[in-house]
Amino acid sequence: MSQERSKHGTVIVGATSAIARGIARACAERGDRLVLAGRDLDECERIAADVRTRFGVESFAVRLDVEDMDPSAFVQACAERLEGAIDRLVLSQGFMAEQSDAQGNPALVARTQTVNLTSVIQLCEAFVPHLRVPGGMVCVVSSVAGDRGRPSNHIYGSSKAGVNAYLEGLGPRLREQGVGVLTVKPGFVDTAMTWGLPGMFLVADPQDVGNSIVRAMQKRRHVIYTPFFWRGIMLIIRSIPGAIFRRLSL
Ligand SMILES: NC(=O)c1ccc[n+]([C@@H]2O[C@H](COP(=O)([O-])OP(=O)(O)OC[C@H]3O[C@@H](n4cnc5c(N)ncnc54)[C@H](OP(=O)(O)O)[C@@H]3O)[C@@H](O)[C@H]2O)c1
């Protein structure tokens, strides 16, 4: 094994997501102790057993449905597993309905905002006082979809824009304590969320995305686009004047 063993205590929420599995493997390869949380406890147990076997790290599965949770009780459950040493909170839960299904559908709108935005803020606020200082880290998987509102995906995009704004303020708020905040903006990734969607291009492998996220945590970066070329793509898209952007059917 090339990397130095870290022994970070890392909590990953949405652990059954393809990107989170990539993050868990990359963290375990570096020696992190893991809590893997999701609403499918059996699958979380399987992922925990897999990283334990492959990398010889301690890993624990915890059930968590972010639409029906007690964040303080979850923090306690994680602290017990990691013996109080929580270094990193990684949030990868996400929900994306078809824009056409979500339009005019209050239940789908509420679910999108709860899973992608409200639960992120609730979990960050619950964990921040318990993260190891200095050196703690909050990492949230947001999306390039939050950078601009497109007619084809703006209900989902609005939740990710909210995440970006929240984390943009959280970073400076925690700087003095030495706690880092990383906003991750993936482009298209080959996962269950995007399976079968039309118009996908430059689709990335979830393990490659997971590796890039863990590298960015090690380097204590603030914002990353992944794969890296999305930074350039989104620079161009963000620089399109509103008057022109409104006429594009994106
Ligand atoms: N795939 C892409 O192209 C792409 C691009 C940009 C950003 N992202 C973001 O990347 C993150 C990971 O998504 P993914 O692409 O890896 O898709 P995914 O495999 O569909 O993962 C979504 C994850 O969210 C979990 N989740 C949904 N509702 C939940 C709830 N109520 N409580 C707890 N967990 C819940 C799912 O759990 P279950 O397994 O139980 O359903 C699953 O683990 C998401 O935040 C997504 O928005 C993805």
Side-chain angles (χ1 to χ4, degrees):
M1 197 166 306
S2 54
Q3 290 97 349
E4 202 179 308
R5 306 288 281 178
S6 70
K7 286 275 183 196
H8 284 125
T10 299
V11 175
I12 303 180
V13 176
T16 55
S17 106
I19 293 173
R21 288 168 198 257
I23 297 170
R25 279 196 213 105
C27 285
E29 195 175 5
R30 287 164 168 79
D32 285 15
R33 306 168 74 210
L34 298 174
V35 172
L36 302 170
R39 58 188 173 172
D40 183 343
L41 183 59
D42 289 344
E43 190 56 22
C44 290
E45 298 273 15
R46 276 191 283 275
I47 301 166
D50 178 69
V51 294
R52 231 178 355 251
T53 308
R54 283 177 200 270
F55 304 107
V57 294
E58 279 184 284
S59 57
F60 308 91
V62 173
R63 188 177 184 281
L64 183 73
D65 181 340
V66 300
E67 290 172 270
D68 180 20
M69 65 172 173
D70 174 347
S72 305
F74 177 59
V75 174
Q76 276 314 114
C78 295
E80 277 165 26
R81 270 42 167 218
L82 297 173
E83 295 156 329
I86 306 175
D87 297 283
R88 292 167 167 179
L89 173 67
V90 179
L91 302 180
S92 186
Q93 73 271 25
F95 172 71
M96 184 175 74
E98 286 274 347
Q99 169 73 24
S100 55
D101 292 339
Q103 284 173 195
N105 185 326
L108 283 182
V109 170
R111 189 164 175 216
T112 305
Q113 300 299 325
T114 303
V115 175
N116 296 344
L117 175 59
T118 309
S119 76
V120 165
I121 299 176
Q122 289 172 329
L123 286 167
C124 288
E125 292 300 320
F127 269 86
V128 157
H130 300 273
L131 289 175
R132 190 142 52 176
V133 291
M137 185 104 208
V138 172
C139 166
V140 182
V141 184
S142 182
S143 173
V144 293
D147 275 14
R148 272 209 105 157
R150 293 177 297 121
S152 59
N153 201 18
H154 65 107
I155 292 177
Y156 170 80
S158 67
S159 67
K160 295 299 192 178
V163 167
N164 297 347
Y166 170 73
L167 296 176
E168 192 174 22
L170 187 65
R173 184 180 129 196
L174 302 182
R175 189 175 41 223
E176 280 203 359
Q177 292 158 251
V179 172
V181 175
L182 171 63
T183 306
V184 178
K185 299 183 180 182
F188 296 125
V189 189
D190 185 13
T191 72
M193 186 174 281
T194 51
W195 192 84
L197 286 184
M200 302 263 293
F201 58 96
L202 299 172
V203 179
D205 174 76
Q207 184 62 59
D208 291 344
V209 168
N211 292 342
S212 71
I213 291 170
V214 175
R215 277 197 304 273
M217 283 200 282
Q218 301 283 110
K219 292 181 181 166
R220 303 191 73 75
R221 301 272 308 272
H222 305 293
V223 180
I224 61 158
Y225 288 83
T226 177
F228 69 90
F229 48 76
W230 280 95
R231 177 174 291 280
I233 295 172
M234 295 315 295
L235 187 66
I236 294 166
I237 290 180
R238 281 201 319 278
S239 67
I240 299 172
I244 297 171
F245 197 76
R246 278 189 288 278
R247 288 166 200 261
L248 301 175
S249 50
L250 291 170

